[in-house]
Amino acid sequence: MAKLSLIERDEKRRESVKKYAAKRAELFAVINDVNAAAEDRRAARAKLQSLPRNSSPVRLRNRCALTGRPRGVFSKFGIARNKLRDLMMRGEVPGVVKASW
C-alpha cells in the first residue's frame, strides 16, 4: 500500500491539470502558430512558464486504484499487476481465464 500522502498529492496534481488544461491549450496554440508575431509567441511562452508546475500533465503518475502502487499498473484495468493477478485467480475479471494445458 502506497503512502496516503503520495496518493493525495497525485490527486491534487490531477485537479490542477484539469483546472489549467484550457489555459495551457490556449497558450500552446499561440506558441505553435507560425503566423503569430515573435513577440506574442515569446509572451505566451513566458505565461506558460509562470503557470504552476503541477498543472503540467507530464507530472501525473499512473497509480493502482486499489493500492496506490505507482509501478506495474495496467492502464486497461487501472490496477497493479499483483492485484490484477489476485482478481484473475478469483475469477472476478470477465473474459480472463487462467492458462492450463
Side-chain angles (χ1 to χ4, degrees):
M1 186 76 183
K3 288 175 67 173
L4 190 60
S5 60
L6 296 177
I7 295 169
E8 289 177 357
R9 184 187 306 165
D10 195 56
E11 288 174 6
K12 224 175 179 180
R13 282 184 179 153
R14 288 184 189 282
E15 290 172 10
S16 182
V17 168
K18 276 186 191 175
K19 181 179 176 183
Y20 289 99
K23 192 168 193 176
R24 290 181 74 83
E26 189 177 300
L27 290 172
F28 272 118
V30 173
I31 291 170
N32 295 329
D33 185 17
V34 180
N35 298 326
E39 197 59 38
D40 294 337
R41 293 171 74 182
R42 194 173 296 118
R45 180 157 293 152
K47 285 181 184 176
L48 184 67
Q49 288 177 349
S50 68
L51 292 178
R53 280 189 176 180
N54 285 337
S55 69
S56 174
V58 174
R59 292 175 67 96
L60 294 178
R61 181 76 190 201
N62 289 336
R63 289 189 173 269
C64 176
L66 301 175
T67 62
R69 188 178 203 276
R71 295 176 181 228
V73 178
F74 282 79
S75 58
K76 183 176 181 179
F77 301 103
I79 300 173
R81 59 183 172 76
N82 47 8
K83 288 297 174 183
L84 184 62
R85 182 176 186 272
D86 292 342
L87 292 173
M88 286 183 200
M89 292 299 226
R90 284 186 271 163
E92 295 179 10
V93 180
V96 180
V97 181
K98 184 179 183 295
S100 60
W101 61 90

